[in-house]
């Protein structure tokens, strides 16, 4: 993998090494350690994500902020006893003055939504909060589908738009006699249509993994598959290893099951095997969640040596590899993805996820779980309870599209090569301070901006109509604070306009060192 700068990049999230190495040096987790790492997720980060768009509407900022927090309590996103961020940290994260947060907290205290204890902080109260309930996610997917602030540029999503061939194959399916046969039946297939499961078995066979239709469960997108596997395998308190950074939806899914997430540093060659080996040996984790091919968000592709080392480490344990191959077909330096890493493990230690969203189109909402049939049987029953099965129509379209998977891979590769070249040229010319490495796959750049508070800058950019994903949303420990994920799949003109405006906004941000403690010109403090 070639670098776009004269110097090599550091590990994607240097702060992760501190967490992982300290854990690796320790013996089995003692209760105090468990509590410490359970609380490693930054409260400010989660609440900031939940408050996305809070500033829309009318009235003084403090009233808007208090109303937004009250809504979170009413909806159960914040519960009795939850710790609120300090006034200073929330003000910095939202890029408003501390005085505005103080006024908002006063309004919340008056309404008995929160209470403050000297020396302890501010907490949601039983009067205002719903209380109780099970574990919750981290609100890392809030950028999807909710944009209360007018947008000029959306640089937040790494999911490419659909290929033209999806329209062609949809039209073909609508004219097939098979559709008429399906419509004549009830349309409920919890495991998925046989023709799609057979097509997916062929997909894996082409990658060197013999697979039967009985080893595939069709889901409504890979996110549903991820949530189902997490619910089946993870119990509150279980240790789950995750790469850092990692797919933000996975962090949400595991936290929703009460998992204790422990980060494993990842670089351009794959996960850090020394840290992984120590954590597996000492913590005996339930799962290791990995995106080894076209990693999200870094775009790295695991090397054969790392892949062999990973399977060797896990094969001597009871840890299950949950391998997410959802982005694997987006290869920049190869015609097709390599063989999945987990094929070298015993069947009971490997569960694979996949999706047509990245390669074909996310709107099809078709994903899958590939695992031994005995593991899938209870999940099929759970799928029936959840939604009685995914859409037969989009399953037919997905099966038809898979018949031209190599053509689709080539089309995506051309699109992403063009986008990467455009993004790299702009960043090299207009933001030489920003560092990135050419990814081996995926649809985005993992960009380091020295000295940046990415979460605060993301709030600032949102107010100026630019949506961007800050590094901490991809980190189990709110690390990667100097990183932004920049998608490059859009058309060069749209991509260029968005990047140019983002860089200009960053330069203005650099010239305004007090910006993190003020509301900015568009939202003055009352």
């Amino acid at each position: 993998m070639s670098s776009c700068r004269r110097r090599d990049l550091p590990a994607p999230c240097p702060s992760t090494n501190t967490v992982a190495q300290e854990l690796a040096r320790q013996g089995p987790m003692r209760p105090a350690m468990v509590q410490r790492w359970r609380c490693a997720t930054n409260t400010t980060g989660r609440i900031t994500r939940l408050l996305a768009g809070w500033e829309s509407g009318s009235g003084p900022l403090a009233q808007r902020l208090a109303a937004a927090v009250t809504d979170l309590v009413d909806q159960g996103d914040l519960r009795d006893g939850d710790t609120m961020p300090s006034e200073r940290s929330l003000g910095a994260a939202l890029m408003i003055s501390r005085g505005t947060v103080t006024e908002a907290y006063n309004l919340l205290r008056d309404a008995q939504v929160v209470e403050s204890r000297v020396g302890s902080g501010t907490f949601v109260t039983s009067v205002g909060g719903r209380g109780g309930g099970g574990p919750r996610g981290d609100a890392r997917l809030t950028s999807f589908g909710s944009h209360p602030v007018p947008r000029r540029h959306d640089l937040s999503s790494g999911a490419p738009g659909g290929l033209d061939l999806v329209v062609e194959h949809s039209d073909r399916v609508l004219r097939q006699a098979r559709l008429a046969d399906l419509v004549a039946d009830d349309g409920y297939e919890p495991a998925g249509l046989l023709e799609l499961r057979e097509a997916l078995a062929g997909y894996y066979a082409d990658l060197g993994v013999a697979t039967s239709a009985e080893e595939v469960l069709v889901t409504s997108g890979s996110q549903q598959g991820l949530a189902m596997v997490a619910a089946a395998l993870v119990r509150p308190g279980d240790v789950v290893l995750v790469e850092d950074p990692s797919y933000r939806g996975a962090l949400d899914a595991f936290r929703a099951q009460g998992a204790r997430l422990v980060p494993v540093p990842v670089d351009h060659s794959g996960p850090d095997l020394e840290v992984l080996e120590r954590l597996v040996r000492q913590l005996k984790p339930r799962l290791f969640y990995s995106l080894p091919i076209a990693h999200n968000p870094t775009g790295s592709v695991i090397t054969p040596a790392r892949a062999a080392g990973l399977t060797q480490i896990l094969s001597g344990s009871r840890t299950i590899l949950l391998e997410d191959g959802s982005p694997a077909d987006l290869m920049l330096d190869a015609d097709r993805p390599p063989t999945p890493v987990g094929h070298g493990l015993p069947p009971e230690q490997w569960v694979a996820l996949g999706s047509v969203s990245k390669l074909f189109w996310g709107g099809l909402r078709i994903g899958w779980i590939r695992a031994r049939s005995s593991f899938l049987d209870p999940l099929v029953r759970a799928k029936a309870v959840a939604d009685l099965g995914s859409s037969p129509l989009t399953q037919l379209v997905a099966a038809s599209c898979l018949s031209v998977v190599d053509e689709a891979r080539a089309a995506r590769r051309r699109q992403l090569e063009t986008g990467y070249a455009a993004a790299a040229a702009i960043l090299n010319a207009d933001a030489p301070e920003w560092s990135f490495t050419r990814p081996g796959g995926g649809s985005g750049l993992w960009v380091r901006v020295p000295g940046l508070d990415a979460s605060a800058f993301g709030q600032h950019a949102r107010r100026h109509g630019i949506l961007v994903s800050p590094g901490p949303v991809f980190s189990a420990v709110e690390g990667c604070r100097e990183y932004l994920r920049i998608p490059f799949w859009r058309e060069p003109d749209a991509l260029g306009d968005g990047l140019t405006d983002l860089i200009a906004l960053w330069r203005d941000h650099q010239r305004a060192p007090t910006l993190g403690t003020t509301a900015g010109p568009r939202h003055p403090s009352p």
Side-chain angles (χ1 to χ4, degrees), residues 184-202:
D185 203 350
D186 62 17
Y188 301 134
E189 294 282 353
L193 295 182
L194 179 60
E195 50 257 70
L196 177 55
R197 290 186 287 122
E198 288 178 339
L200 291 170

Side-chain angles (χ1 to χ4, degrees), residues 137-503:
D138 279 349
R140 295 175 187 270
L141 296 178
T142 53
S143 63
F144 286 94
S146 178
H147 304 295
V149 177
R151 290 177 288 167
R152 287 191 293 135
H153 308 292
D154 188 350
L155 300 175
S156 65
S157 176
L163 294 175
D164 291 341
L165 62 82
V166 174
V167 177
E168 300 169 13
H169 284 263
S170 298
D171 183 64
R172 185 178 304 173
V173 165
L174 290 173
R175 292 184 279 107
Q176 287 178 349
R178 172 62 174 139
L179 179 59
D181 294 339
L182 275 178
V183 172
D185 203 350
D186 62 17
Y188 301 134
E189 294 282 353
L193 295 182
L194 179 60
E195 50 257 70
L196 177 55
R197 290 186 287 122
E198 288 178 339
L200 291 170
Y203 170 91
Y204 279 102
D206 288 343
L207 295 178
V209 182
T211 302
S212 68
E214 289 69 32
E215 293 174 307
V216 178
L217 167 61
V218 177
T219 60
S220 298
S222 62
Q223 186 66 31
Q224 184 186 54
L226 182 56
M228 292 177 68
V229 172
L233 294 178
V234 179
R235 297 293 175 264
D238 281 351
V239 173
V240 173
L241 303 184
V242 294
E243 293 163 330
D244 205 69
S246 185
Y247 168 52
R248 50 184 170 161
L251 305 182
D252 252 356
F254 295 133
R255 280 252 164 75
Q257 298 302 321
R260 300 168 186 157
L261 301 186
V262 178
V264 176
V266 62
D267 59 27
H268 64 274
S269 297
D272 186 318
L273 296 186
E274 181 180 356
V275 172
L276 177 65
E277 189 278 330
R278 290 177 181 173
L279 293 176
V280 168
R281 173 166 44 85
Q282 296 174 3
L283 304 185
K284 297 177 173 53
R286 180 67 168 138
L287 290 176
F288 174 40
Y289 172 76
S290 178
L291 299 107
I293 303 169
H295 179 271
N296 183 2
T298 69
S300 64
V301 177
I302 194 169
T303 63
R306 290 275 182 101
L310 190 158
T311 56
Q312 182 178 2
I313 290 168
L314 295 187
S315 62
S317 73
R318 294 186 177 181
T319 300
I320 295 171
L321 173 64
L322 178 54
E323 181 174 357
D324 194 339
S326 299
D329 287 301
L330 304 184
M331 298 293 291
L332 270 72
D333 296 329
D335 293 333
R336 59 167 52 196
T339 302
V341 171
H343 81 286
L345 288 169
E348 64 273 14
Q349 274 192 275
W350 182 42
V351 177
L353 300 172
S355 170
V356 302
S357 295
K358 301 295 190 296
L359 181 59
F360 295 109
W361 182 42
L364 291 174
R365 305 310 308 132
I366 295 296
W368 62 85
I369 305 169
R370 188 233 176 262
R372 69 188 193 281
S373 58
S374 59
F375 174 76
L376 292 181
D377 288 342
L379 294 189
V380 173
R381 294 191 290 272
K383 173 71 171 168
V385 172
D387 59 14
L388 293 176
S390 300
S391 164
L393 179 58
T394 57
Q395 288 186 68
L396 287 178
V397 174
S400 182
C401 288
L402 283 167
S403 68
V404 292
V405 65
D406 287 335
E407 177 186 337
R409 287 168 176 157
R412 277 294 187 214
R413 186 177 179 187
R414 290 191 297 270
Q415 176 194 26
L416 295 175
E417 284 283 8
T418 300
Y420 169 76
I426 292 170
L427 293 177
N428 282 327
D430 297 344
E433 304 93 333
W434 296 15
S435 300
F436 59 93
T437 294
R438 175 186 166 87
S443 60
L445 288 174
W446 188 236
V447 180
R448 180 171 180 261
V449 184
L452 184 71
D453 181 341
S455 294
F457 181 66
Q459 290 282 326
H460 181 54
R462 172 183 285 270
R463 290 182 194 147
H464 288 77
I466 304 174
L467 302 182
V468 65
S469 295
V473 303
F474 301 97
S475 172
V477 290
E478 301 290 336
C480 308
R481 292 181 176 274
E482 293 186 334
Y483 285 81
L484 299 172
R485 198 272 305 277
I486 305 293
F488 54 77
W489 59 266
R490 295 189 181 277
E491 290 296 320
D493 288 346
L495 176 63
D497 290 344
L499 279 179
T500 299
D501 286 355
L502 182 70
I503 293 168

